[in-house]
């Protein structure tokens, strides 16, 4: 479930959304299983999102909504479900590798004990050995036992090598899954979850180092109107365009993220207020400077503009307070005509 829908489910619209989901499932003759319920909440919470569009397409094409289809949609569109499935798979592979390594170690342990017993037996036989033929037989037994233990050791080594490779592959895959779960699929910027974590950690670092920290929030002006006029696909491209400008500006330790629908955020660690302001002015101007074209028809879309608010962290200030002040500055930018940058400190000075 996306964060926007998660938020709705904890707000005033929650019960009405849940009721609508049940009614819509009944109308479409879909069983209200927990998974279907989750899919339908996501679909009605964001009818224009990728899952919403896919379900609408299926319903209007009269395609059956089986459990297998529901599983597939969940794996594709519900990020948490996908993550859980990946983690379950990784757990299974890890279990398999650990049991195979532990079986190989038990075998090696038994082989070592057998070898020890063979050596002891040989020592006893040597004392009572009588003549060359008996000695030859003892040495030949010892040589056989030594070959066996060598083979077992080589076997164990091979097994451990395979398992080490498999576990390294798994850890790389899990790292990729972790990165995906922190990335916004449309824009490739950090998602809200990643951003919240990075902001918390940037605040902690700023506190321990006594360093500067600024936070900016950016919102595309009149995005809804734009979406309604040109459609969601073009709207998505505009989001990608704005994200590409932010991504290019996020050099060094700066972080750029998609914070919500058409809202973005940036963290600026260790930079002075004039430097942050200059960077944000540059971003604002660059975004507004491009005449965009609709890719399918080549229609002139004009330019998009963004409103920006930012706040410079005060000593000991929490992440949520910093975010609140940056948000207030963003709304001041919107109120005073959009397409501008406002710093929270200027509002405080004016007050
Ligand atoms: P994208 O369509 O995947 O394009 C990725 C990059 O390929 C663009 O990065 C740009 O460097 C290059 N590119 C693609 N198509 C063209 C083109 O027709 N002309 C030129 N000169 N370069 C092109 P960029 O510019 O940072 O844009 C990032 C994303 O923003 C694009 O991803 C697209 O989704 C969106 N975008 C940017 N400009 C426009 C536009 O004029 N119209 C639409 N519909 N989307 C745009």
């Amino acid at each position: 479930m996306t964060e926007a829908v998660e938020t709705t489910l904890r707000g005033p619209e929650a019960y009405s959304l849940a009721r609508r989901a049940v009614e819509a499932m009944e109308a479409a003759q879909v069983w209200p299983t927990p998974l279907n319920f989750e899919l339908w909440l996501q679909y009605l919470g964001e009818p224009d999102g990728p899952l919403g569009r896919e379900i609408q397409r299926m319903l209007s094409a009269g395609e059956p909504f089986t459990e297998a289809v529901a599983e597939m949609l969940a794996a594709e569109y519900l990020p948490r479900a996908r993550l859980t499935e990946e983690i379950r798979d990784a757990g299974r592979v890890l279990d398999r590798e650990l049991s195979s390594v532990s079986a190989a170690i038990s075998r090696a342990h038994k082989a070592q004990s057998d070898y020890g017993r063979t050596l002891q037996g040989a020592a006893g036989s040597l004392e009572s050995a009588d003549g060359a033929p008996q000695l030859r037989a003892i040495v030949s037994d010892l040589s056989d036992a030594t070959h066996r233990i060598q083979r077992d050791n080589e076997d164990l080594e091979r097994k451990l090598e395979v398992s080490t490779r498999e576990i390294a592959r798994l850890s790389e895959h899990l790292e990729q899954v972790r990165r995906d779960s922190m990335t916004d699929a449309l824009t490739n910027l950090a998602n809200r979850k990643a951003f919240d974590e990075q902001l918390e950690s940037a605040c902690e670092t700023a506190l321990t180092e006594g360093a500067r920290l600024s936070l900016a929030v950016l919102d595309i002006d009149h995005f809804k109107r734009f979406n309604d006029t040109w459609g969601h696909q073009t709207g998505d491209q505009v989001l990608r365009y704005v994200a590409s400008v932010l991504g290019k500006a996020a050099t060094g330790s700066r972080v750029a993220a998609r914070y919500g629908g058409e809202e973005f955020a940036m963290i600026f660690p260790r930079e002075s207020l004039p430097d942050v302001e200059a960077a944000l002015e540059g971003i604002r101007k660059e975004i507004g400077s491009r005449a965009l074209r609709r890719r399918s028809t080549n229609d002139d879309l004009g330019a998009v503009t963004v409103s920006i608010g930012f706040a410079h962290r005060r000593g000991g200030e929490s992440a949520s307070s910093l975010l609140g002040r940056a948000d207030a500055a963003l709304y001041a930018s919107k109120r005073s005509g959009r397409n501008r940058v406002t710093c929270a400190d200027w509002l405080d000075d004016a007050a």
Side-chain angles (χ1 to χ4, degrees):
M1 185 135 343
T2 61
E3 277 143 14
V5 177
E6 289 272 12
T7 310
T8 310
L9 287 171
R10 282 164 188 77
E13 295 290 317
Y15 291 107
S16 122
L17 175 63
R19 265 192 296 275
R20 283 193 292 126
V22 173
E23 284 164 12
M25 277 190 285
E26 192 168 9
Q29 296 190 320
V30 167
W31 295 116
T33 62
L35 184 59
N36 286 346
F37 187 52
E38 192 174 359
L39 287 167
W40 247 255
L41 283 174
Q42 174 61 38
Y43 152 39
L44 293 172
E46 276 181 1
D48 295 315
L51 174 65
R53 290 203 292 258
E54 177 61 7
I55 293 186
Q56 283 171 45
R57 186 198 62 75
M58 290 180 63
L59 293 179
S60 52
E63 289 177 22
F65 199 88
T66 60
E67 280 189 28
V69 168
E71 294 282 356
M72 198 199 67
L73 288 177
E76 170 113 23
Y77 296 105
L78 299 178
R80 205 178 41 202
R82 193 170 58 220
L83 196 60
T84 313
E85 192 52 34
E86 300 270 9
I87 289 170
R88 224 182 278 144
D89 279 353
R92 273 196 286 267
V93 176
L94 205 57
D95 258 2
R96 194 185 64 210
E97 290 309 318
L98 287 180
S99 7
S100 130
V101 168
S102 106
I105 288 174
S106 306
R107 273 200 308 278
H109 186 71
K110 184 174 174 305
Q112 294 286 355
S113 312
D114 290 351
Y115 188 55
R117 270 195 297 278
T118 308
L119 286 182
Q120 255 173 5
S125 312
L126 273 176
E127 271 171 23
S128 54
D130 185 12
Q134 257 189 336
L135 276 175
R136 256 199 303 277
I138 293 168
V139 171
S140 159
D141 280 354
L142 279 178
S143 160
D144 285 352
T146 306
H147 278 129
R148 265 200 309 279
I149 194 89
Q150 261 172 356
R151 262 201 318 275
D152 285 346
N153 279 340
E154 278 162 16
D155 200 35
L156 177 65
E157 248 172 52
R158 264 196 305 276
K159 192 93 243 137
L160 286 177
E161 245 172 56
V162 171
S163 291
T164 308
R165 267 205 307 275
E166 187 65 2
I167 288 168
R169 191 193 61 76
L170 193 65
S171 107
E172 220 169 84
H173 177 67
L174 280 180
E175 179 52 28
Q176 183 61 44
V177 170
R178 197 191 65 79
R179 271 201 299 272
D180 286 352
S181 78
M182 295 293 203
T183 307
D184 173 59
L186 178 72
T187 62
N188 269 334
L189 293 183
N191 64 14
R192 185 180 185 145
K193 179 171 173 292
F195 182 80
D196 285 344
E197 280 178 18
Q198 305 231 33
L199 181 60
E200 283 293 341
S201 107
C203 282
E204 273 167 33
T205 310
L207 191 67
T208 39
E209 290 178 1
R212 296 161 166 154
L213 175 67
S214 293
L215 169 69
V217 281
L218 307 89
D219 192 87
I220 302 177
D221 296 326
H222 302 299
F223 185 70
K224 187 173 171 344
R225 204 160 74 197
F226 190 93
N227 246 352
D228 292 345
T229 315
W230 300 105
H232 291 284
Q233 265 173 0
T234 306
D236 283 354
Q237 302 252 315
V238 169
L239 292 171
R240 280 159 58 97
Y241 166 58
V242 169
S244 78
V245 175
L246 298 191
K248 274 181 252 161
T251 50
S253 49
R254 294 175 180 173
V255 176
R258 181 164 174 219
Y259 201 65
E262 70 264 29
E263 197 168 297
F264 296 84
M266 275 185 89
I267 302 172
F268 295 85
R270 300 183 198 90
E271 289 186 57
S272 70
L273 200 143
D275 283 352
V276 174
E277 187 194 350
L280 291 171
E281 269 301 340
I283 289 171
R284 182 190 68 78
K285 286 193 188 121
E286 188 179 343
I287 290 174
S289 69
R290 169 127 35 133
L292 297 170
R293 296 212 154 263
R294 193 179 189 199
R295 293 263 153 97
S296 51
T297 56
N298 215 26
D299 281 325
D300 186 354
L301 302 172
V304 287
T305 60
V306 288
S307 295
I308 305 178
F310 76 104
H312 204 60
R313 184 172 175 275
R314 296 169 173 156
E317 187 176 15
S318 69
S320 61
S321 157
L322 184 61
L323 197 54
R325 290 197 303 118
D327 254 334
L330 167 65
Y331 284 103
S333 280
K334 292 271 181 194
R335 269 198 315 274
S336 49
R338 299 181 167 87
N339 189 19
R340 65 193 62 215
V341 178
T342 306
C343 176
D345 300 41
W346 307 337
L347 303 176
D348 296 344
D349 291 348

